[in-house]
Amino acid sequence: MTELKSNQMQSNLSSVGERHYLIAMITALANRMQAVGDTAFEELTWKQWFALLGVSVFERPPAITQVAELIGTSHQNTKQLMLRLQKAGFVNLSKDPEDQRRTLVHITEREQSFKQKYQKGSEEYIQSIYRGITEEEVQITRSVLARMDRNLQSYANRQKEE
C-alpha cells in the first residue's frame, strides 16, 4: 500500500475513536503481514511459517494442542497445518508415548535448512517493520498487546460460560 493510501486510511479510521482505530489497525496490519508473508517463502505460506515458528519455541516436541493455543487457532486448523507441513517434510508427527490421545510435533532437518535459507531475509524484513521505533515503544506495545490478548481470552471464556 502506498504511503498516501495508508495516511488516508489512518485519517478515515481515526474518526471512529482511538480504541476502535487500534483494533482496525491491528487487523489491517495482520492482513498485510500475511499478504507480504505469503510472497516471502517459496516453500511455505505465511500461516505454515507461523505454525512452524510456534513449534520451534518449545524445548521439547509440543502437542498439537499446545501449538494451537500458542498461535491462537483451533486444534483442528493446527492439525491440518501440521499434516501439510509433515507432507512437505518440515515436521514429523507421532503419538505421545505417555498419552496416545496427544500428537507430538517434531521439527525435521528440512525446517532447519529452511530457517538458514531465509535467515538474512527474515532479519531484513523484521528490521524494516521496526524502522524508527524505539526499544521503549516496542516494550510498551508488547505489554499492551499481551494485556489485550489476556482480556480477549477472558472475554471468550465468559462467552463460553453463558
Side-chain angles (χ1 to χ4, degrees), residues 73-85:
T73 190
S74 71
H75 178 274
Q76 185 176 358
N77 286 342
T78 304
K79 184 172 183 179
Q80 291 305 311
L81 281 168
M82 292 303 137
L83 288 170
R84 281 186 232 118
L85 288 168

Side-chain angles (χ1 to χ4, degrees), residues 81-94 104:
L81 281 168
M82 292 303 137
L83 288 170
R84 281 186 232 118
L85 288 168
Q86 179 175 254
K87 187 174 181 180
F90 288 96
V91 300
N92 286 320
L93 303 176
S94 68
L104 301 178

